[in-house]
Amino acid sequence: MTQEFKQTSPIQDPSVIHEIQALRDELHRHNYLYYALDNPEIPDAEYDRLLRRLQALEAENPELLSADSPSLKVGSAPLDAFTQVAHKLPMLSLDNAFSDEEMLDFNKRVIDRLNNSLKNSELDNTTKEAFESLEYVCEPKLDGIAVSLLYAEGVLVMGVTRGDGTTGEDITANVRTVGSIPLRLTGDDIPSELEVRGEIYMPKAAFEKVNKAALKNGDKPFVNPRNAAAGSLRQLDSKITAKRSLEMCAYSVGIVEGIKEGVNFPETHEKILVKLSEWGFRINQEMRAVTGINACATYYNKLSEKRDGLPYEIDGIVYKVNSISLQKTLGFISRAPRWAIARKFPAQEEMTQLLGIEFQVGRTGAITPVARLEPVFVGGVTVSNATLHNQDEVKRLDARVGDTVIIRRAGDVIPQIVSVVLSRRPEQTDALCFPESCPVCDSPIVQVPGEVVLRCSGGLICGAQVKEAIKHFASRKAMDIDGLGDKLVEQLVDEKLIKSVVDLYHLDVEAVASLERMGKKSAENLLAAIETSKATSFARFIYSLGIREVGEATARNLAQYFGDINSLLASDEETLVVINDIGPIVARFIVDFISQESNQLLIKQLLEHGVNWPEVKKQSDDDDSNELPLVDKTYVLSGSLFSLTRDQAKEKLQALGATVTGSVSKKTDYLVAGPGAGSKLTKAESLSVPVLDEDQLLALFDEYT
Ligand code: I6G
């Protein structure tokens, strides 16, 4: 893929020619991988950087411009499998902005151009000044596939992909299967020939379902919802497309011919969208017309907050000048309209170097490979580590030290390695091997049949497991020892001041004060916090023991069921499986734990040191947990509360039998929302989950206590 340069200038820096050539070749290849094969190799952010570099070099060296430069192109040539169709009106793409400054530049360009174009026109100064507060329409930019739909006399006759912007692929049979694409439009004002453009996308929930099924069948999962949508649309058998739960959102019109007599076609973008909705299309519910560029920035900030809670992926906001007549005045430049721009969110995927891999040992001995990365700014934070989860994931990725990898960080989710850029793999690399013995205590690493995870068999002789067990014991939701953070636990163990959680209760001030960065006062505070922690609840105590798969909710159920520690210690699997939420596997873990003498001794010693809790009203055998008033109800808490902390509210709800979860879903009965509730509130509203404010929550507590 090389181009001939027309060498019009005699003095031309060969390194510039070479760089332009290399960038064009590389971009052509990525266009093909992305648009034609739905198999992108680099993140969008890297693609944008390459394209921008090419555009900058071409702007500095206009004599090197070439008609087939990827900077002038949208997408890639269509695949042969589908019939090719030339668009009657080219399907362009949008210019991007990555910062507030670039948005201000865009607004200035628009206003200057409108003023210049209309300088000699009949417009008076008042109208010209009005450009300073121009009206824009803001819409989320869905991460999907752009399509053109042709309607003749209101009937869908063809669906075409964008392709290279000039020619696309005929995917009519497939678009007909998309529920939100009307086969026949409703209304008596439909033009005889109408082209509607929009984005076909796969909602997040459908994407998860498709990938789950792919993994189950041993197929390769899709890398993201956009790829899943593209792959689903490119099926030669439209029955497969029909099963993929695709959606379509209309964002503009193309060809409009044969408008009925007496009908006025809408004169603003907003009104066109409303008209499309009347005719039967889905339009984006977040669409808003705003005045001035500052209002565009406010919209951007609001949508950034809502983003995680939206049921579909978006990668930015599209702003369009609302007036169609001003759009016409502004016109187009090479590959994009001058009257629109896409303000991109910070990239959620970036490329970086894999510097090394370490194996971490968790509380239960699980060995987790962790990738050490060249620090990279992604999803709004700098990331230098990413978990590789387990050996199945390591095998799937085949990431090697020295590789260029793609990192994804979306929302608050921990960073993940998505894939390896194989074309950038150095010559000498070795596949990753799991160690055979624990990197901390050298005990053999074992795999329980049926489990994916590898574990250190060292138990409490393994320093790493001891440290993790103590960190868990001290954590906020367990014994809540104020000031005993991870670093301090590591110091205490490394300095051999403690070997188990029991040792915490006979620490002396001098020894603690002698630790690095500790003084007498901090040591006294720590010991006071350890003392305070002795007064706890039975549920917290059970949770703090760190029994496998016994989280807060299970610990609470155990506490309520048994009421006292001796009954719990005397239980067996048959009894345990009767309890809410406890199945045979968890029952087995509990029995394994309580039958070990070392654990029985640990519990005895903790009680001897004064760990205590208020008496728990034991649930008798014939007692039914349904007697608790909120037993079948699921609550989510979001935002801040004034009269109590979220944790206190959670404990109170749980004491009334409610389940409290971290995310809103169709199964949520109520969202309790305080100020700053953000994306959870948006999600609750979109799922019609009832929302309670703090007063209503307090009234609920009053009612039941
Ligand atoms: O790629 C696009 C996504 C969304 C668009 C677009 C859009 O509006 C919400 N609008 C235009 C005019 C174009 N591409 C060319």
Side-chain angles (χ1 to χ4, degrees), residues 247-261:
E247 302 282 356
M248 190 265 194
C249 187
Y251 62 63
S252 69
V253 290
I255 300 275
V256 182
E257 297 284 354
I259 297 175
K260 298 228 159 49
E261 247 186 55

Side-chain angles (χ1 to χ4, degrees), residues 92-94 139-141 146 162 199 251-252 318 320 337 339-340:
L92 302 171
S93 71
L94 293 172
E139 286 166 82
K141 187 170 186 304
R162 173 192 271 161
E199 203 86 359
Y251 62 63
S252 69
V318 178
K320 293 178 182 168
W339 40 265

Side-chain angles (χ1 to χ4, degrees), residues 481-482 484 504-505 507 525-534:
I481 305 179
D482 204 21
L484 185 52
L504 288 170
Y505 294 97
L507 275 173
N525 287 345
L526 178 68
L527 263 60
I530 293 173
E531 191 59 32
T532 308
S533 76
K534 287 181 182 172

Side-chain angles (χ1 to χ4, degrees), residues 215-381:
L215 287 172
K216 203 169 150 205
N217 299 335
D219 296 335
K220 196 175 159 217
F222 291 107
V223 287
N224 55 41
R226 196 210 79 88
N227 273 89
S232 306
L233 272 183
R234 288 260 176 72
Q235 293 294 329
L236 292 174
D237 176 0
S238 60
K239 284 198 212 80
I240 301 179
T241 315
K243 289 192 190 132
R244 295 284 173 81
S245 309
L246 297 174
E247 302 282 356
M248 190 265 194
C249 187
Y251 62 63
S252 69
V253 290
I255 300 275
V256 182
E257 297 284 354
I259 297 175
K260 298 228 159 49
E261 247 186 55
V263 170
N264 291 325
F265 202 74
E267 285 170 356
T268 64
H269 176 62
E270 184 190 18
K271 286 185 182 149
I272 292 178
L273 291 178
V274 172
K275 186 49 76 187
L276 287 175
S277 154
E278 283 169 21
W279 286 339
F281 290 95
R282 173 177 295 200
I283 57 167
N284 199 296
Q285 291 309 300
E286 307 295 334
M287 182 268 292
R288 299 280 180 279
V290 303
T291 304
I293 198 71
N294 290 341
C296 291
T298 309
Y299 180 91
Y300 174 87
N301 293 334
K302 280 205 186 122
L303 251 286
S304 303
E305 274 184 21
K306 271 191 167 184
R307 182 182 184 187
D308 287 345
L310 294 174
Y312 42 76
E313 291 271 6
I314 61 174
D315 60 356
I317 306 294
V318 178
Y319 300 96
K320 293 178 182 168
V321 170
N322 196 13
S323 152
I324 301 297
S325 99
L326 293 183
Q327 285 186 4
K328 285 185 181 142
T329 307
L330 287 160
F332 298 84
I333 182 164
S334 67
R335 61 203 277 277
R338 284 203 188 87
W339 40 265
I341 196 151
R343 164 86 154 95
K344 293 296 208 70
F345 290 131
Q348 291 187 321
E349 285 188 5
E350 268 296 359
M351 280 189 351
T352 192
Q353 229 63 41
L354 178 58
L355 302 179
I357 293 172
E358 281 175 21
F359 293 90
Q360 280 183 353
V361 188
R363 178 164 57 84
T364 58
I367 307 281
T368 308
V370 176
R372 302 283 173 230
L373 306 164
E374 182 66 42
V376 61
F377 191 73
V378 55
V381 297

Side-chain angles (χ1 to χ4, degrees), residues 19-204:
E19 189 178 354
I20 289 185
Q21 186 86 32
L23 282 165
R24 285 179 184 165
D25 286 351
E26 195 169 358
L27 284 163
H28 275 306
R29 193 169 77 81
H30 290 306
N31 274 344
Y32 183 72
L33 288 171
Y34 186 97
Y35 289 105
L37 300 187
D38 300 325
N39 193 14
E41 191 189 71
I42 55 171
D44 292 354
E46 175 69 2
Y47 178 89
D48 288 340
R49 271 192 295 272
L50 294 172
L51 185 62
R52 286 188 155 218
R53 175 74 187 143
L54 176 61
Q55 284 168 332
L57 287 177
E58 287 177 346
E60 281 165 24
N61 304 277
E63 64 284 359
L64 295 182
L65 251 175
S66 137
D68 61 353
S69 170
S71 63
L72 304 173
K73 217 158 117 46
V74 186
S76 179
L79 280 180
D80 290 338
F82 292 89
T83 311
Q84 297 183 16
V85 181
H87 296 296
K88 283 195 184 168
L89 282 180
M91 282 189 83
L92 302 171
S93 71
L94 293 172
D95 267 345
N96 292 326
F98 294 92
S99 64
D100 289 340
E101 290 76 59
E102 289 182 4
M103 282 302 294
L104 292 176
D105 290 348
F106 161 74
N107 185 52
K108 186 170 181 316
R109 281 197 305 275
V110 167
I111 291 170
D112 288 352
R113 194 161 188 100
L114 287 176
N115 280 329
N116 287 338
S117 313
L118 302 168
K119 202 158 39 198
N120 303 318
S121 76
E122 66 286 2
L123 282 180
D124 59 27
N125 278 338
T126 340
T127 317
K128 284 179 194 166
E129 273 163 27
F131 296 150
E132 303 293 333
S133 50
L134 205 56
E135 195 163 84
Y136 288 104
V137 172
C138 321
E139 286 166 82
K141 187 170 186 304
L142 296 177
D143 209 1
I145 306 299
V147 285
S148 147
L149 304 174
L150 291 169
Y151 288 81
E153 305 299 345
V155 175
L156 175 68
V157 289
M158 194 179 279
V160 185
T161 62
R162 173 192 271 161
D164 64 5
T166 314
T167 310
E169 296 149 0
D170 179 351
I171 51 162
T172 312
N174 292 350
V175 298
R176 283 207 173 107
T177 70
V178 177
S180 37
I181 294 183
L183 298 179
R184 178 183 292 276
L185 306 182
T186 37
D188 50 16
D189 54 354
I190 300 156
S192 57
E193 192 184 344
L194 174 72
E195 179 191 2
V196 176
R197 292 175 174 183
E199 203 86 359
I200 294 188
Y201 62 96
M202 186 175 280
K204 289 175 187 169

